[in-house]
């Protein structure tokens, strides 16, 4: 059964708020007024990206019959806040811990890759919505807000995917690489391209290219 403990819900909420603030600091250029104004928009992208990423790990773990629970890493939250003031976010606020006496590299890899795949899918969904609403966003403030939310969601989720796929320490990428080099290469390449496009030409230009504008 897909269940949550009260401490797990608490940890997810705390991590969600702090990580949202970190991304708002990065995008707001440390301007308090800008940070507060864009925080609700950032929270939608981070909320979908962070929460569903962790739930992806939890769902696959429990699918294999293991108990899985998200636990906060306070040091990771503090480090994320510190790095946000330098223009980037080292997003490691916690992790889903899977409790098992024994686990193969394959199962561990599948559990680990679930989170980044969720982020890749979300990034593409946000991009698709942004593309669909863009022509009308030019003439409507409400639709323009939807476009901004989706553009932010695309950028954040593509970044979360490629970041978590890095084969560093206890990040997902290390476990996926141990399981299957080919699958790791394909997923980090996709996530890397999505992130690179977001950071170089920008989401609006990506949408304009898709629409042939």
């Amino acid at each position: 059964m897909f269940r949550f403990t009260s401490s797990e819900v608490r940890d997810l909420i705390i991590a969600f708020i702090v990580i949202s603030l970190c991304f708002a600091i990065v995008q707001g250029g440390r301007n308090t007024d800008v940070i507060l104004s864009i925080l609700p928009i950032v929270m939608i992208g981070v909320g979908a990206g962070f929460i569903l990423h962790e739930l992806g790990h939890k769902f696959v773990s429990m699918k294999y019959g293991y108990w899985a629970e998200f636990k906060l890493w306070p040091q990771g939250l503090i480090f994320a806040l510190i790095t946000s003031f330098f223009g980037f976010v080292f997003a490691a606020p916690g992790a889903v811990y899977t409790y098992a006496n024994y686990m193969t590299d394959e199962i561990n890899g599948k559990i680990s890759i679930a989170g980044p795949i969720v982020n890749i899918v979300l990034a593409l969904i946000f991009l698709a919505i942004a593309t669909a609403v863009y022509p009308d966003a030019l003439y409507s403030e409400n639709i323009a807000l939807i476009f901004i939310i989706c553009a932010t969601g695309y950028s954040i989720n593509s970044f979360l995917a490629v970041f978590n796929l890095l084969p560093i320490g206890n990040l997902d990428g290390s476990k996926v690489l141990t399981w299957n080099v080919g699958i790791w290469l394909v997923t980090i390449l996709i996530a890397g391209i999505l992130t690179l496009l977001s950071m170089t030409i920008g989401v609006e230009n990506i949408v304009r290219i898709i629409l042939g504008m």
Side-chain angles (χ1 to χ4, degrees):
M1 183 180 292
F2 201 62
R3 294 183 292 115
F4 296 89
T5 64
S6 57
S7 61
E8 183 178 21
V9 172
R10 178 204 63 206
D11 286 359
L12 282 168
I13 292 173
I14 293 172
F16 161 61
I17 292 172
V18 175
I19 289 298
S20 297
L21 178 61
C22 291
F23 279 100
I25 290 171
V26 170
Q27 297 198 17
R30 289 175 287 183
N31 183 307
T32 304
D33 291 335
V34 175
I35 291 171
L36 292 177
S37 66
I38 67 173
L39 183 58
I41 294 173
V42 173
M43 291 179 82
I44 294 175
V46 174
F50 171 71
I51 298 296
L52 293 180
H53 174 105
E54 299 302 337
L55 291 186
H57 291 315
K58 185 178 176 77
F59 176 79
V60 176
S61 295
M62 299 184 79
K63 177 179 178 292
Y64 282 105
Y66 302 120
W67 172 251
E69 182 177 356
F70 177 82
K71 289 185 179 294
L72 195 67
W73 184 34
Q75 296 92 328
L77 279 183
I78 295 171
F79 191 59
L81 272 172
I82 293 172
T83 58
S84 68
F85 287 98
F86 291 91
F88 69 99
V89 180
F90 190 89
V96 169
Y97 289 84
T98 300
Y99 298 91
N101 293 324
Y102 174 76
M103 184 186 299
T104 64
D105 287 340
E106 179 181 358
I107 293 177
N108 197 18
K110 288 179 178 179
I111 291 171
S112 299
I113 202 171
I117 286 179
V118 167
N119 291 130
I120 291 172
V121 171
L122 283 172
L124 294 174
I125 290 173
F126 276 123
L127 181 61
I129 297 173
T131 302
V133 304
Y134 182 73
D136 294 325
L138 300 174
Y139 310 102
S140 168
E141 290 187 3
N142 290 333
I143 297 179
L145 179 60
I146 294 174
F147 174 81
I148 293 171
I149 290 172
C150 291
T152 303
Y154 167 83
S155 298
I156 290 175
N157 278 279
S158 60
F159 171 79
L160 288 174
V162 74
F163 173 81
N164 281 283
L165 282 167
L166 294 174
I168 300 173
N170 203 37
L171 293 178
D172 298 327
S174 299
K175 302 159 194 173
V176 177
L177 185 60
T178 300
W179 162 48
N180 192 304
V181 175
I183 291 177
W184 175 79
L185 281 172
V186 170
T187 50
I188 197 169
L189 181 63
I190 293 172
I193 291 173
L194 294 176
T195 303
L196 183 63
L197 289 173
S198 170
M199 296 177 68
T200 53
I201 68 174
V203 181
E204 183 172 0
N205 286 326
I206 296 173
V207 168
R208 292 178 67 87
I209 291 171
I210 293 173
L211 294 174
M213 299 175 67

